[in-house]
Amino acid sequence: MKLGEFIASHGTPLTTQAGDHLFHQGDHDQSLYVVHEGLLKAYYLSPEGKEHIKSFILPGDSIGSLMASYAGKACTFSLVCLKPCRMTVVKFSDLYEASKSDTEISSAVVDFLLGFGMKKENREYELLCLSAEERYKRMLETAPAILDLVTQNEIARYLGVTPVGLSRIKKRVTG
Amino acid sequence: MKLGEFIASHGTPLTTQAGDHLFHQGDHDQSLYVVHEGLLKAYYLSPEGKEHIKSFILPGDSIGSLMASYAGKACTFSLVCLKPCRMTVVKFSDLYEASKSDTEISSAVVDFLLGFGMKKENREYELLCLSAEERYKRMLETAPAILDLVTQNEIARYLGVTPVGLSRIKKRVTG
DNA sequence: CATGTCTTTTAACCTGGGTTAATTACGCGC
DNA sequence: GCGCGTAATTAACCCAGGTTAAAAGACATG
């Protein structure tokens, strides 16, 4: 069975409003969210209340908490809609079980996970090797679309700087 | 077929000396290295010659360049042995193809990739949300073993600070 | 168009970590 | 034990980005 069919038949549709949370840090949400339309952000909240943005999720992307879904632990981050969204929710365990017997599904899951791994490695590279200014310039080149979708405030917290810091960087870069 | 059997039958053994490189940044190495014994480091070298350590690889771990193996691009990092190593080398494409038809293999690959994903997410969290000092303290708690295996110089470059910086942090933390 | 709310910019000051270089430990071979 | 190379510490200075607070835009609503 194709992965798309599996999701269509075993998933349930979900539409949300901007501001709706799908789960909070600490929850045990074991769903995979396949996004068809809208915009979400995944973020960490530190004990001191500082927000760090893990990623923005666009149509075509999928997201869920690996920690909760696979390791049975609490979600390490929160997931909130920045715009009204339309998606399909799949139980991680359903997909995981299906991948054990259906080679077509497991192939698609392997491809998904390999793509996921490359994204994470790329993010790791940026955070480990680049300065905030370099990360901003890189974002201008590789993902300019997102800049128009979210506030500068959120771009900053995604890049690992404060909004004040990003304002300074912008001024420096733009000249 | 079990993954272990596949690796044993389709892989080739390899032993190396400390200092040997398995591949360099820019190469197109499409191998997966399954480490039985020894110690390796994966690192990025910036155009200005600065080294950033992506990870240390211990017995039981596996490593390879996703970018080269799966995306067909150049390796984004280099891989070098810090101690003599004993490992098995598997062609990524062999394993990838096998996972398309053998459910036992694909299950193991899915599990491997899920574990890999969790590691990468954890590293992303540390680099995005924690200060260098917090990352050092966390390492003291969660991976004290590595501290004895490599130089402080390398710990620093793994944590994303300079050796001088780490020396200061140590002094601050240890009191 | 006045008002409140949110985002962005600017300014002043502070700090963690970078940089360079000198100094001190720690092996290790002879 | 002595010399030599590598690793770690220390010191002095610098700077990117954090912090706090105030000011300036930007919009929406009444």
Side-chain angles (χ1 to χ4, degrees):
Chain A
M1 187 191 265
K2 291 254 193 290
L3 180 60
E5 293 169 25
F6 180 88
I7 289 169
S9 61
H10 288 72
T12 61
L14 177 66
T15 64
T16 61
Q17 299 296 307
D20 288 358
H21 270 81
L22 297 184
F23 57 76
H24 285 90
Q25 207 166 317
D27 289 354
H28 281 74
D29 186 302
Q30 306 192 321
S31 307
L32 177 70
Y33 299 89
V34 182
V35 180
H36 308 302
E37 195 183 338
L39 175 67
L40 300 92
K41 82 172 172 191
Y43 66 98
Y44 296 101
L45 212 52
S46 79
E48 304 83 44
K50 310 213 163 159
E51 178 179 321
H52 295 269
I53 299 182
K54 179 174 158 60
S55 64
F56 297 107
I57 299 95
L58 298 166
D61 293 340
S62 298
I63 176 120
S65 169
L66 264 186
M67 265 303 178
S69 297
Y70 185 57
K73 309 256 182 187
C75 298
T76 55
F77 61 90
S78 300
L79 183 58
V80 66
C81 302
L82 296 181
K83 299 198 173 200
C85 294
R86 192 169 54 75
M87 55 193 119
T88 301
V89 188
V90 182
K91 265 178 72 183
F92 173 84
S93 56
D94 285 352
L95 182 56
Y96 183 67
E97 290 310 320
S99 82
K100 293 207 165 169
S101 52
D102 184 320
T103 56
E104 203 164 17
I105 295 221
S106 79
S107 277
V109 169
V110 165
D111 281 331
F112 172 81
L113 289 173
L114 285 167
F116 175 76
M118 289 199 299
K119 270 197 218 173
K120 293 289 114 176
E121 287 214 342
N122 187 48
R123 180 96 159 117
E124 171 186 89
Y125 166 76
E126 293 175 352
L127 291 168
L128 178 64
C129 303
L130 306 181
S131 68
E133 177 171 335
E134 289 168 319
R135 290 198 289 274
Y136 175 64
K137 285 198 227 157
R138 205 168 209 255
M139 194 168 184
L140 285 180
E141 287 165 17
T142 64
I146 295 183
L147 298 175
D148 300 326
L149 297 176
V150 303
T151 66
Q152 193 167 306
N153 200 304
E154 285 166 317
I155 298 290
R157 304 198 130 90
Y158 172 74
L159 293 175
V161 289
T162 60
V164 179
L166 180 55
S167 176
R168 274 192 294 239
I169 289 171
K170 255 184 79 173
K171 194 171 161 189
R172 218 156 60 209
V173 169
T174 312
Chain B
M1 187 190 265
K2 290 254 193 293
L3 180 60
E5 293 170 26
F6 179 88
I7 289 169
S9 61
H10 288 72
T12 61
L14 177 66
T15 64
T16 61
Q17 301 295 308
D20 288 358
H21 269 82
L22 298 184
F23 58 76
H24 285 89
Q25 207 166 317
D27 289 354
H28 282 74
D29 186 301
Q30 305 192 325
S31 306
L32 177 70
Y33 299 89
V34 182
V35 180
H36 307 303
E37 195 183 338
L39 175 67
L40 300 92
K41 82 172 171 191
Y43 67 98
Y44 297 100
L45 214 53
S46 78
E48 304 83 44
K50 312 217 161 160
E51 177 179 321
H52 294 268
I53 298 184
K54 178 174 158 61
S55 63
F56 298 107
I57 299 94
L58 299 165
D61 293 341
S62 298
I63 176 119
S65 169
L66 264 185
M67 264 303 178
S69 297
Y70 186 56
K73 309 256 183 187
C75 297
T76 55
F77 61 90
S78 300
L79 184 57
V80 66
C81 301
L82 297 181
K83 301 200 173 201
C85 294
R86 192 169 54 74
M87 55 193 120
T88 301
V89 189
V90 182
K91 265 179 69 183
F92 173 84
S93 57
D94 285 352
L95 182 56
Y96 183 66
E97 289 310 320
S99 82
K100 293 206 165 170
S101 52
D102 184 319
T103 56
E104 204 164 16
I105 296 217
S106 79
S107 277
V109 169
V110 165
D111 281 330
F112 172 81
L113 289 173
L114 285 167
F116 175 75
M118 288 198 299
K119 271 198 217 173
K120 292 290 114 179
E121 287 214 333
N122 187 49
R123 181 99 159 113
E124 171 186 89
Y125 166 78
E126 293 174 353
L127 291 169
L128 178 63
C129 302
L130 305 182
S131 66
E133 177 171 337
E134 289 169 319
R135 289 198 290 273
Y136 175 65
K137 285 198 229 160
R138 205 167 207 255
M139 196 169 184
L140 285 179
E141 288 165 17
T142 64
I146 296 183
L147 298 175
D148 301 326
L149 297 176
V150 303
T151 67
Q152 193 167 306
N153 201 303
E154 284 165 318
I155 299 289
R157 305 199 131 89
Y158 172 73
L159 294 175
V161 288
T162 60
V164 179
L166 180 55
S167 176
R168 274 191 295 240
I169 289 172
K170 255 184 79 172
K171 193 170 160 189
R172 219 156 58 209
V173 168
T174 313

